[in-house]
PDB file of all heavy atoms in Angstrom:
ATOM      1  N   GLN A1324     111.203 105.649  57.746  1.00 84.00           N
ATOM      2  CA  GLN A1324     109.842 106.152  57.543  1.00 84.00           C
ATOM      3  C   GLN A1324     109.829 107.161  56.395  1.00 84.00           C
ATOM      4  O   GLN A1324     110.854 107.730  56.021  1.00 84.00           O
ATOM      5  CB  GLN A1324     109.311 106.819  58.811  1.00 84.00           C
ATOM      6  CG  GLN A1324     110.038 108.092  59.191  1.00 84.00           C
ATOM      7  CD  GLN A1324     109.516 108.696  60.475  1.00 84.00           C
ATOM      8  OE1 GLN A1324     108.892 108.010  61.254  1.00 84.00           O
ATOM      9  NE2 GLN A1324     109.771 109.974  60.668  1.00 84.00           N
ATOM     10  N   VAL A1325     108.617 107.354  55.840  1.00 85.00           N
ATOM     11  CA  VAL A1325     108.366 108.354  54.804  1.00 85.00           C
ATOM     12  C   VAL A1325     107.253 109.268  55.307  1.00 85.00           C
ATOM     13  O   VAL A1325     106.156 108.791  55.630  1.00 85.00           O
ATOM     14  CB  VAL A1325     107.966 107.696  53.466  1.00 85.00           C
ATOM     15  CG1 VAL A1325     107.613 108.777  52.428  1.00 85.00           C
ATOM     16  CG2 VAL A1325     109.077 106.795  52.949  1.00 85.00           C
ATOM     17  N   GLU A1326     107.570 110.578  55.406  1.00 85.00           N
ATOM     18  CA  GLU A1326     106.603 111.557  55.896  1.00 85.00           C
ATOM     19  C   GLU A1326     106.006 112.300  54.708  1.00 85.00           C
ATOM     20  O   GLU A1326     106.713 112.917  53.898  1.00 85.00           O
ATOM     21  CB  GLU A1326     107.280 112.545  56.847  1.00 85.00           C
ATOM     22  CG  GLU A1326     106.308 113.535  57.459  1.00 85.00           C
ATOM     23  CD  GLU A1326     106.976 114.447  58.463  1.00 85.00           C
ATOM     24  OE1 GLU A1326     108.190 114.222  58.730  1.00 85.00           O
ATOM     25  OE2 GLU A1326     106.319 115.367  58.971  1.00 85.00           O
ATOM     26  N   GLY A1327     104.664 112.235  54.565  1.00 84.00           N
ATOM     27  CA  GLY A1327     103.970 112.880  53.458  1.00 84.00           C
ATOM     28  C   GLY A1327     103.799 114.373  53.663  1.00 84.00           C
ATOM     29  O   GLY A1327     104.119 114.931  54.720  1.00 84.00           O
ATOM     30  N   ARG A1328     103.268 115.036  52.654  1.00 81.00           N
ATOM     31  CA  ARG A1328     103.090 116.482  52.718  1.00 81.00           C
ATOM     32  C   ARG A1328     102.052 116.886  53.763  1.00 81.00           C
ATOM     33  O   ARG A1328     102.135 117.964  54.361  1.00 81.00           O
ATOM     34  CB  ARG A1328     102.671 116.997  51.340  1.00 81.00           C
ATOM     35  CG  ARG A1328     103.708 116.752  50.244  1.00 81.00           C
ATOM     36  CD  ARG A1328     103.179 117.161  48.889  1.00 81.00           C
ATOM     37  NE  ARG A1328     104.156 116.866  47.825  1.00 81.00           N
ATOM     38  CZ  ARG A1328     103.898 117.057  46.540  1.00 81.00           C
ATOM     39  NH1 ARG A1328     102.694 117.511  46.141  1.00 81.00           N
ATOM     40  NH2 ARG A1328     104.834 116.769  45.644  1.00 81.00           N
ATOM     41  N   ASP A1329     101.056 116.041  53.970  1.00 81.00           N
ATOM     42  CA  ASP A1329     100.012 116.347  54.959  1.00 81.00           C
ATOM     43  C   ASP A1329     100.375 115.867  56.364  1.00 81.00           C
ATOM     44  O   ASP A1329      99.536 115.890  57.258  1.00 81.00           O
ATOM     45  CB  ASP A1329      98.695 115.703  54.526  1.00 81.00           C
ATOM     46  CG  ASP A1329      98.825 114.199  54.323  1.00 81.00           C
ATOM     47  OD1 ASP A1329      99.970 113.699  54.373  1.00 81.00           O
ATOM     48  OD2 ASP A1329      97.791 113.532  54.128  1.00 81.00           O
ATOM     49  N   GLY A1330     101.612 115.450  56.570  1.00 80.00           N
ATOM     50  CA  GLY A1330     102.053 114.992  57.895  1.00 80.00           C
ATOM     51  C   GLY A1330     101.872 113.515  58.144  1.00 80.00           C
ATOM     52  O   GLY A1330     102.220 113.014  59.217  1.00 80.00           O
ATOM     53  N   THR A1331     101.321 112.789  57.176  1.00 83.00           N
ATOM     54  CA  THR A1331     101.146 111.342  57.344  1.00 83.00           C
ATOM     55  C   THR A1331     102.505 110.644  57.330  1.00 83.00           C
ATOM     56  O   THR A1331     103.375 110.957  56.520  1.00 83.00           O
ATOM     57  CB  THR A1331     100.272 110.787  56.207  1.00 83.00           C
ATOM     58  OG1 THR A1331      99.044 111.512  56.168  1.00 83.00           O
ATOM     59  CG2 THR A1331      99.972 109.310  56.430  1.00 83.00           C
ATOM     60  N   ILE A1332     102.684 109.701  58.257  1.00 84.00           N
ATOM     61  CA  ILE A1332     103.960 108.980  58.384  1.00 84.00           C
ATOM     62  C   ILE A1332     103.712 107.498  58.138  1.00 84.00           C
ATOM     63  O   ILE A1332     102.823 106.900  58.769  1.00 84.00           O
ATOM     64  CB  ILE A1332     104.588 109.207  59.772  1.00 84.00           C
ATOM     65  CG1 ILE A1332     104.942 110.682  59.959  1.00 84.00           C
ATOM     66  CG2 ILE A1332     105.816 108.329  59.947  1.00 84.00           C
ATOM     67  CD1 ILE A1332     105.504 110.996  61.333  1.00 84.00           C
ATOM     68  N   HIS A1333     104.481 106.916  57.247  1.00 83.00           N
ATOM     69  CA  HIS A1333     104.464 105.477  56.993  1.00 83.00           C
ATOM     70  C   HIS A1333     105.827 104.905  57.370  1.00 83.00           C
ATOM     71  O   HIS A1333     106.860 105.370  56.879  1.00 83.00           O
ATOM     72  CB  HIS A1333     104.157 105.198  55.516  1.00 83.00           C
ATOM     73  CG  HIS A1333     102.727 105.443  55.152  1.00 83.00           C
ATOM     74  ND1 HIS A1333     102.132 104.886  54.041  1.00 83.00           N
ATOM     75  CD2 HIS A1333     101.756 106.179  55.750  1.00 83.00           C
ATOM     76  CE1 HIS A1333     100.868 105.266  53.960  1.00 83.00           C
ATOM     77  NE2 HIS A1333     100.629 106.075  54.989  1.00 83.00           N
ATOM     78  N   LYS A1334     105.815 103.901  58.271  1.00 83.00           N
ATOM     79  CA  LYS A1334     107.064 103.273  58.718  1.00 83.00           C
ATOM     80  C   LYS A1334     107.270 101.958  57.983  1.00 83.00           C
ATOM     81  O   LYS A1334     106.319 101.241  57.670  1.00 83.00           O
ATOM     82  CB  LYS A1334     107.050 103.039  60.235  1.00 83.00           C
ATOM     83  CG  LYS A1334     107.122 104.310  61.053  1.00 83.00           C
ATOM     84  CD  LYS A1334     107.264 103.999  62.532  1.00 83.00           C
ATOM     85  CE  LYS A1334     107.414 105.271  63.354  1.00 83.00           C
ATOM     86  NZ  LYS A1334     107.578 104.996  64.800  1.00 83.00           N
ATOM     87  N   TYR A1335     108.552 101.632  57.719  1.00 82.00           N
ATOM     88  CA  TYR A1335     108.911 100.417  57.004  1.00 82.00           C
ATOM     89  C   TYR A1335     110.068  99.730  57.740  1.00 82.00           C
ATOM     90  O   TYR A1335     110.950 100.391  58.292  1.00 82.00           O
ATOM     91  CB  TYR A1335     109.340 100.711  55.564  1.00 82.00           C
ATOM     92  CG  TYR A1335     108.326 101.499  54.759  1.00 82.00           C
ATOM     93  CD1 TYR A1335     108.346 102.896  54.777  1.00 82.00           C
ATOM     94  CD2 TYR A1335     107.379 100.860  53.979  1.00 82.00           C
ATOM     95  CE1 TYR A1335     107.436 103.633  54.029  1.00 82.00           C
ATOM     96  CE2 TYR A1335     106.457 101.585  53.231  1.00 82.00           C
ATOM     97  CZ  TYR A1335     106.489 102.970  53.271  1.00 82.00           C
ATOM     98  OH  TYR A1335     105.586 103.682  52.537  1.00 82.00           O
ATOM     99  N   ASN A1336     110.063  98.411  57.711  1.00 80.00           N
ATOM    100  CA  ASN A1336     111.175  97.611  58.227  1.00 80.00           C
ATOM    101  C   ASN A1336     111.988  97.088  57.045  1.00 80.00           C
ATOM    102  O   ASN A1336     111.424  96.518  56.097  1.00 80.00           O
ATOM    103  CB  ASN A1336     110.685  96.430  59.064  1.00 80.00           C
ATOM    104  CG  ASN A1336     110.035  96.872  60.347  1.00 80.00           C
ATOM    105  OD1 ASN A1336     110.492  97.825  60.973  1.00 80.00           O
ATOM    106  ND2 ASN A1336     108.960  96.200  60.744  1.00 80.00           N
ATOM    107  N   ILE A1337     113.303  97.300  57.093  1.00 79.00           N
ATOM    108  CA  ILE A1337     114.166  96.818  56.021  1.00 79.00           C
ATOM    109  C   ILE A1337     114.216  95.293  56.091  1.00 79.00           C
ATOM    110  O   ILE A1337     114.602  94.722  57.118  1.00 79.00           O
ATOM    111  CB  ILE A1337     115.580  97.402  56.147  1.00 79.00           C
ATOM    112  CG1 ILE A1337     115.519  98.943  56.147  1.00 79.00           C
ATOM    113  CG2 ILE A1337     116.470  96.902  55.026  1.00 79.00           C
ATOM    114  CD1 ILE A1337     116.862  99.606  56.367  1.00 79.00           C
ATOM    115  N   PRO A1338     113.818  94.566  55.060  1.00 76.00           N
ATOM    116  CA  PRO A1338     113.818  93.106  55.103  1.00 76.00           C
ATOM    117  C   PRO A1338     115.223  92.554  55.288  1.00 76.00           C
ATOM    118  O   PRO A1338     116.226  93.210  54.996  1.00 76.00           O
ATOM    119  CB  PRO A1338     113.225  92.702  53.748  1.00 76.00           C
ATOM    120  CG  PRO A1338     112.528  93.928  53.241  1.00 76.00           C
ATOM    121  CD  PRO A1338     113.290  95.088  53.784  1.00 76.00           C
ATOM    122  N   TYR A1339     115.277  91.299  55.755  1.00 71.00           N
ATOM    123  CA  TYR A1339     116.555  90.628  55.958  1.00 71.00           C
ATOM    124  C   TYR A1339     117.269  90.469  54.615  1.00 71.00           C
ATOM    125  O   TYR A1339     116.683  90.024  53.629  1.00 71.00           O
ATOM    126  CB  TYR A1339     116.345  89.258  56.599  1.00 71.00           C
ATOM    127  CG  TYR A1339     117.618  88.466  56.756  1.00 71.00           C
ATOM    128  CD1 TYR A1339     118.466  88.693  57.836  1.00 71.00           C
ATOM    129  CD2 TYR A1339     117.988  87.514  55.815  1.00 71.00           C
ATOM    130  CE1 TYR A1339     119.636  87.978  57.982  1.00 71.00           C
ATOM    131  CE2 TYR A1339     119.153  86.791  55.952  1.00 71.00           C
ATOM    132  CZ  TYR A1339     119.982  87.043  57.039  1.00 71.00           C
ATOM    133  OH  TYR A1339     121.133  86.335  57.170  1.00 71.00           O
ATOM    134  N   GLY A1340     118.543  90.863  54.563  1.00 71.00           N
ATOM    135  CA  GLY A1340     119.335  90.716  53.351  1.00 71.00           C
ATOM    136  C   GLY A1340     119.183  91.845  52.359  1.00 71.00           C
ATOM    137  O   GLY A1340     119.869  91.861  51.338  1.00 71.00           O
ATOM    138  N   ALA A1341     118.276  92.812  52.636  1.00 79.00           N
ATOM    139  CA  ALA A1341     118.084  93.943  51.725  1.00 79.00           C
ATOM    140  C   ALA A1341     118.900  95.136  52.203  1.00 79.00           C
ATOM    141  O   ALA A1341     119.315  95.201  53.361  1.00 79.00           O
ATOM    142  CB  ALA A1341     116.609  94.310  51.642  1.00 79.00           C
ATOM    143  N   ARG A1342     119.123  96.123  51.303  1.00 80.00           N
ATOM    144  CA  ARG A1342     119.847  97.333  51.654  1.00 80.00           C
ATOM    145  C   ARG A1342     119.084  98.540  51.138  1.00 80.00           C
ATOM    146  O   ARG A1342     118.306  98.453  50.177  1.00 80.00           O
ATOM    147  CB  ARG A1342     121.265  97.318  51.064  1.00 80.00           C
ATOM    148  CG  ARG A1342     121.313  97.156  49.566  1.00 80.00           C
ATOM    149  CD  ARG A1342     122.740  97.064  49.054  1.00 80.00           C
ATOM    150  NE  ARG A1342     122.788  96.852  47.607  1.00 80.00           N
ATOM    151  CZ  ARG A1342     122.677  97.814  46.705  1.00 80.00           C
ATOM    152  NH1 ARG A1342     122.511  99.085  47.098  1.00 80.00           N
ATOM    153  NH2 ARG A1342     122.728  97.548  45.421  1.00 80.00           N
ATOM    154  N   MET A1343     119.310  99.700  51.781  1.00 81.00           N
ATOM    155  CA  MET A1343     118.631 100.927  51.376  1.00 81.00           C
ATOM    156  C   MET A1343     119.190 101.421  50.044  1.00 81.00           C
ATOM    157  O   MET A1343     120.397 101.423  49.821  1.00 81.00           O
ATOM    158  CB  MET A1343     118.824 102.002  52.453  1.00 81.00           C
ATOM    159  CG  MET A1343     118.064 101.729  53.752  1.00 81.00           C
ATOM    160  SD  MET A1343     116.286 101.842  53.548  1.00 81.00           S
ATOM    161  CE  MET A1343     116.120 103.533  52.993  1.00 81.00           C
ATOM    162  N   MET A1344     118.255 101.842  49.147  1.00 83.00           N
ATOM    163  CA  MET A1344     118.660 102.387  47.852  1.00 83.00           C
ATOM    164  C   MET A1344     118.413 103.896  47.769  1.00 83.00           C
ATOM    165  O   MET A1344     118.751 104.520  46.768  1.00 83.00           O
ATOM    166  CB  MET A1344     117.901 101.682  46.711  1.00 83.00           C
ATOM    167  CG  MET A1344     118.168 100.176  46.660  1.00 83.00           C
ATOM    168  SD  MET A1344     117.347  99.399  45.247  1.00 83.00           S
ATOM    169  CE  MET A1344     118.191 100.194  43.887  1.00 83.00           C
ATOM    170  N   VAL A1345     117.835 104.482  48.818  1.00 82.00           N
ATOM    171  CA  VAL A1345     117.551 105.913  48.877  1.00 82.00           C
ATOM    172  C   VAL A1345     118.162 106.466  50.145  1.00 82.00           C
ATOM    173  O   VAL A1345     117.997 105.884  51.217  1.00 82.00           O
ATOM    174  CB  VAL A1345     116.031 106.185  48.842  1.00 82.00           C
ATOM    175  CG1 VAL A1345     115.761 107.687  48.880  1.00 82.00           C
ATOM    176  CG2 VAL A1345     115.395 105.562  47.608  1.00 82.00           C
ATOM    177  N   LYS A1346     118.865 107.564  50.061  1.00 82.00           N
ATOM    178  CA  LYS A1346     119.507 108.164  51.215  1.00 82.00           C
ATOM    179  C   LYS A1346     118.487 108.943  52.039  1.00 82.00           C
ATOM    180  O   LYS A1346     117.517 109.487  51.478  1.00 82.00           O
ATOM    181  CB  LYS A1346     120.635 109.107  50.785  1.00 82.00           C
ATOM    182  CG  LYS A1346     121.789 108.398  50.089  1.00 82.00           C
ATOM    183  CD  LYS A1346     122.889 109.381  49.743  1.00 82.00           C
ATOM    184  CE  LYS A1346     124.058 108.679  49.075  1.00 82.00           C
ATOM    185  NZ  LYS A1346     125.151 109.634  48.732  1.00 82.00           N
ATOM    186  N   PRO A1347     118.696 109.022  53.381  1.00 82.00           N
ATOM    187  CA  PRO A1347     117.792 109.807  54.228  1.00 82.00           C
ATOM    188  C   PRO A1347     117.769 111.270  53.787  1.00 82.00           C
ATOM    189  O   PRO A1347     118.794 111.861  53.436  1.00 82.00           O
ATOM    190  CB  PRO A1347     118.395 109.639  55.621  1.00 82.00           C
ATOM    191  CG  PRO A1347     119.161 108.368  55.569  1.00 82.00           C
ATOM    192  CD  PRO A1347     119.692 108.283  54.173  1.00 82.00           C
ATOM    193  N   GLY A1348     116.565 111.861  53.794  1.00 82.00           N
ATOM    194  CA  GLY A1348     116.392 113.245  53.378  1.00 82.00           C
ATOM    195  C   GLY A1348     115.979 113.399  51.933  1.00 82.00           C
ATOM    196  O   GLY A1348     115.676 114.520  51.480  1.00 82.00           O
ATOM    197  N   THR A1349     115.972 112.295  51.166  1.00 85.00           N
ATOM    198  CA  THR A1349     115.602 112.352  49.752  1.00 85.00           C
ATOM    199  C   THR A1349     114.083 112.363  49.608  1.00 85.00           C
ATOM    200  O   THR A1349     113.374 111.650  50.316  1.00 85.00           O
ATOM    201  CB  THR A1349     116.188 111.136  49.009  1.00 85.00           C
ATOM    202  OG1 THR A1349     117.598 111.097  49.215  1.00 85.00           O
ATOM    203  CG2 THR A1349     115.884 111.216  47.527  1.00 85.00           C
ATOM    204  N   LYS A1350     113.583 113.163  48.666  1.00 86.00           N
ATOM    205  CA  LYS A1350     112.156 113.182  48.356  1.00 86.00           C
ATOM    206  C   LYS A1350     111.834 112.006  47.449  1.00 86.00           C
ATOM    207  O   LYS A1350     112.519 111.760  46.449  1.00 86.00           O
ATOM    208  CB  LYS A1350     111.758 114.495  47.684  1.00 86.00           C
ATOM    209  CG  LYS A1350     111.868 115.721  48.587  1.00 86.00           C
ATOM    210  CD  LYS A1350     111.400 116.971  47.869  1.00 86.00           C
ATOM    211  CE  LYS A1350     111.495 118.195  48.774  1.00 86.00           C
ATOM    212  NZ  LYS A1350     111.012 119.429  48.095  1.00 86.00           N
ATOM    213  N   VAL A1351     110.784 111.288  47.773  1.00 85.00           N
ATOM    214  CA  VAL A1351     110.379 110.119  46.991  1.00 85.00           C
ATOM    215  C   VAL A1351     108.924 110.292  46.571  1.00 85.00           C
ATOM    216  O   VAL A1351     108.162 111.059  47.170  1.00 85.00           O
ATOM    217  CB  VAL A1351     110.549 108.821  47.803  1.00 85.00           C
ATOM    218  CG1 VAL A1351     111.991 108.568  48.133  1.00 85.00           C
ATOM    219  CG2 VAL A1351     109.711 108.871  49.075  1.00 85.00           C
ATOM    220  N   LYS A1352     108.550 109.575  45.519  1.00 84.00           N
ATOM    221  CA  LYS A1352     107.182 109.575  45.033  1.00 84.00           C
ATOM    222  C   LYS A1352     106.563 108.206  45.259  1.00 84.00           C
ATOM    223  O   LYS A1352     107.257 107.217  45.448  1.00 84.00           O
ATOM    224  CB  LYS A1352     107.145 109.938  43.551  1.00 84.00           C
ATOM    225  CG  LYS A1352     107.632 111.335  43.225  1.00 84.00           C
ATOM    226  CD  LYS A1352     107.540 111.613  41.741  1.00 84.00           C
ATOM    227  CE  LYS A1352     108.032 113.015  41.409  1.00 84.00           C
ATOM    228  NZ  LYS A1352     107.927 113.303  39.956  1.00 84.00           N
ATOM    229  N   GLU A1353     105.249 108.194  45.205  1.00 84.00           N
ATOM    230  CA  GLU A1353     104.547 106.932  45.377  1.00 84.00           C
ATOM    231  C   GLU A1353     104.956 105.954  44.284  1.00 84.00           C
ATOM    232  O   GLU A1353     104.939 106.283  43.084  1.00 84.00           O
ATOM    233  CB  GLU A1353     103.035 107.168  45.335  1.00 84.00           C
ATOM    234  CG  GLU A1353     102.224 105.910  45.580  1.00 84.00           C
ATOM    235  CD  GLU A1353     100.736 106.182  45.551  1.00 84.00           C
ATOM    236  OE1 GLU A1353     100.339 107.367  45.396  1.00 84.00           O
ATOM    237  OE2 GLU A1353      99.963 105.207  45.688  1.00 84.00           O
ATOM    238  N   GLY A1354     105.366 104.766  44.693  1.00 81.00           N
ATOM    239  CA  GLY A1354     105.804 103.739  43.765  1.00 81.00           C
ATOM    240  C   GLY A1354     107.299 103.674  43.575  1.00 81.00           C
ATOM    241  O   GLY A1354     107.792 102.749  42.910  1.00 81.00           O
ATOM    242  N   ASP A1355     108.059 104.643  44.131  1.00 84.00           N
ATOM    243  CA  ASP A1355     109.518 104.603  44.007  1.00 84.00           C
ATOM    244  C   ASP A1355     110.078 103.415  44.780  1.00 84.00           C
ATOM    245  O   ASP A1355     109.621 103.081  45.888  1.00 84.00           O
ATOM    246  CB  ASP A1355     110.135 105.897  44.533  1.00 84.00           C
ATOM    247  CG  ASP A1355     109.941 107.051  43.566  1.00 84.00           C
ATOM    248  OD1 ASP A1355     109.461 106.806  42.450  1.00 84.00           O
ATOM    249  OD2 ASP A1355     110.271 108.203  43.948  1.00 84.00           O
ATOM    250  N   ARG A1356     111.118 102.817  44.243  1.00 84.00           N
ATOM    251  CA  ARG A1356     111.767 101.677  44.890  1.00 84.00           C
ATOM    252  C   ARG A1356     112.684 102.185  46.001  1.00 84.00           C
ATOM    253  O   ARG A1356     113.530 103.058  45.764  1.00 84.00           O
ATOM    254  CB  ARG A1356     112.559 100.890  43.857  1.00 84.00           C
ATOM    255  CG  ARG A1356     113.086  99.563  44.362  1.00 84.00           C
ATOM    256  CD  ARG A1356     113.747  98.812  43.213  1.00 84.00           C
ATOM    257  NE  ARG A1356     114.289  97.541  43.669  1.00 84.00           N
ATOM    258  CZ  ARG A1356     114.963  96.701  42.886  1.00 84.00           C
ATOM    259  NH1 ARG A1356     115.149  97.009  41.608  1.00 84.00           N
ATOM    260  NH2 ARG A1356     115.425  95.566  43.373  1.00 84.00           N
ATOM    261  N   LEU A1357     112.521 101.647  47.214  1.00 83.00           N
ATOM    262  CA  LEU A1357     113.274 102.127  48.377  1.00 83.00           C
ATOM    263  C   LEU A1357     114.402 101.178  48.779  1.00 83.00           C
ATOM    264  O   LEU A1357     115.438 101.616  49.258  1.00 83.00           O
ATOM    265  CB  LEU A1357     112.329 102.325  49.566  1.00 83.00           C
ATOM    266  CG  LEU A1357     111.134 103.259  49.333  1.00 83.00           C
ATOM    267  CD1 LEU A1357     110.285 103.336  50.583  1.00 83.00           C
ATOM    268  CD2 LEU A1357     111.608 104.646  48.908  1.00 83.00           C
ATOM    269  N   THR A1358     114.219  99.875  48.656  1.00 82.00           N
ATOM    270  CA  THR A1358     115.237  98.893  49.058  1.00 82.00           C
ATOM    271  C   THR A1358     115.470  97.907  47.944  1.00 82.00           C
ATOM    272  O   THR A1358     114.667  97.764  47.016  1.00 82.00           O
ATOM    273  CB  THR A1358     114.795  98.121  50.326  1.00 82.00           C
ATOM    274  OG1 THR A1358     113.658  97.312  50.001  1.00 82.00           O
ATOM    275  CG2 THR A1358     114.435  99.068  51.450  1.00 82.00           C
ATOM    276  N   SER A1359     116.596  97.205  48.036  1.00 82.00           N
ATOM    277  CA  SER A1359     116.896  96.137  47.098  1.00 82.00           C
ATOM    278  C   SER A1359     116.119  94.882  47.489  1.00 82.00           C
ATOM    279  O   SER A1359     115.440  94.838  48.524  1.00 82.00           O
ATOM    280  CB  SER A1359     118.394  95.853  47.087  1.00 82.00           C
ATOM    281  OG  SER A1359     118.798  95.384  48.368  1.00 82.00           O
ATOM    282  N   ARG A1360     116.247  93.853  46.677  1.00 78.00           N
ATOM    283  CA  ARG A1360     115.553  92.603  46.984  1.00 78.00           C
ATOM    284  C   ARG A1360     116.167  91.945  48.227  1.00 78.00           C
ATOM    285  O   ARG A1360     117.361  92.007  48.443  1.00 78.00           O
ATOM    286  CB  ARG A1360     115.648  91.632  45.794  1.00 78.00           C
ATOM    287  CG  ARG A1360     114.837  92.084  44.590  1.00 78.00           C
ATOM    288  CD  ARG A1360     114.908  91.032  43.501  1.00 78.00           C
ATOM    289  NE  ARG A1360     114.096  91.417  42.364  1.00 78.00           N
ATOM    290  CZ  ARG A1360     112.792  91.145  42.249  1.00 78.00           C
ATOM    291  NH1 ARG A1360     112.177  90.490  43.214  1.00 78.00           N
ATOM    292  NH2 ARG A1360     112.120  91.525  41.179  1.00 78.00           N
ATOM    293  N   SER A1361     115.311  91.331  49.003  1.00 73.00           N
ATOM    294  CA  SER A1361     115.790  90.670  50.226  1.00 73.00           C
ATOM    295  C   SER A1361     116.232  89.250  49.922  1.00 73.00           C
ATOM    296  O   SER A1361     115.822  88.648  48.940  1.00 73.00           O
ATOM    297  CB  SER A1361     114.681  90.654  51.279  1.00 73.00           C
ATOM    298  OG  SER A1361     113.566  89.917  50.818  1.00 73.00           O
ATOM    299  N   THR A1362     117.089  88.745  50.828  1.00 67.00           N
ATOM    300  CA  THR A1362     117.569  87.364  50.711  1.00 67.00           C
ATOM    301  C   THR A1362     116.685  86.466  51.571  1.00 67.00           C
ATOM    302  O   THR A1362     116.536  86.698  52.773  1.00 67.00           O
ATOM    303  CB  THR A1362     119.026  87.260  51.192  1.00 67.00           C
ATOM    304  OG1 THR A1362     119.823  88.157  50.425  1.00 67.00           O
ATOM    305  CG2 THR A1362     119.549  85.836  51.041  1.00 67.00           C
ATOM    306  N   PRO A1363     116.063  85.443  51.004  1.00 66.00           N
ATOM    307  CA  PRO A1363     115.183  84.581  51.808  1.00 66.00           C
ATOM    308  C   PRO A1363     115.980  83.768  52.823  1.00 66.00           C
ATOM    309  O   PRO A1363     117.155  83.473  52.624  1.00 66.00           O
ATOM    310  CB  PRO A1363     114.517  83.676  50.760  1.00 66.00           C
ATOM    311  CG  PRO A1363     115.479  83.659  49.613  1.00 66.00           C
ATOM    312  CD  PRO A1363     116.132  85.005  49.593  1.00 66.00           C
ATOM    313  N   ILE A1364     115.304  83.429  53.937  1.00 66.00           N
ATOM    314  CA  ILE A1364     115.918  82.635  55.009  1.00 66.00           C
ATOM    315  C   ILE A1364     115.392  81.212  54.905  1.00 66.00           C
ATOM    316  O   ILE A1364     114.184  80.987  54.844  1.00 66.00           O
ATOM    317  CB  ILE A1364     115.580  83.218  56.392  1.00 66.00           C
ATOM    318  CG1 ILE A1364     116.038  84.678  56.468  1.00 66.00           C
ATOM    319  CG2 ILE A1364     116.211  82.407  57.504  1.00 66.00           C
ATOM    320  CD1 ILE A1364     115.654  85.355  57.757  1.00 66.00           C
ATOM    321  N   PHE A1365     116.299  80.238  54.863  1.00 69.00           N
ATOM    322  CA  PHE A1365     115.918  78.843  54.799  1.00 69.00           C
ATOM    323  C   PHE A1365     116.288  78.179  56.129  1.00 69.00           C
ATOM    324  O   PHE A1365     117.410  78.317  56.612  1.00 69.00           O
ATOM    325  CB  PHE A1365     116.625  78.132  53.633  1.00 69.00           C
ATOM    326  CG  PHE A1365     116.223  78.663  52.283  1.00 69.00           C
ATOM    327  CD1 PHE A1365     117.018  79.603  51.633  1.00 69.00           C
ATOM    328  CD2 PHE A1365     115.054  78.229  51.673  1.00 69.00           C
ATOM    329  CE1 PHE A1365     116.645  80.098  50.385  1.00 69.00           C
ATOM    330  CE2 PHE A1365     114.679  78.722  50.429  1.00 69.00           C
ATOM    331  CZ  PHE A1365     115.473  79.657  49.792  1.00 69.00           C
TER     332      PHE A1365
END
């Protein structure tokens, strides 16, 4: 999840085959890339 300055919380599910590119506790801005590309399931 990403908690905003006003207390707003946005939750995200890591897609299948993707990995986190930002460590927990890091400050992020709107539009920052959080995960790598996911691997599609066939």
Side-chain angles (χ1 to χ4, degrees):
Q1324 67 182 20
V1325 176
E1326 184 176 355
R1328 298 175 183 176
D1329 56 352
T1331 305
I1332 296 177
H1333 287 201
K1334 291 186 177 181
Y1335 306 88
N1336 292 322
I1337 303 176
Y1339 176 82
R1342 57 184 178 82
M1343 290 292 300
M1344 299 184 64
V1345 181
K1346 295 182 179 180
T1349 304
K1350 293 182 179 181
V1351 296
K1352 296 181 180 181
E1353 183 179 357
D1355 285 353
R1356 190 175 179 182
L1357 304 179
T1358 67
S1359 64
R1360 291 184 178 273
S1361 62
T1362 302
I1364 303 176
F1365 296 98

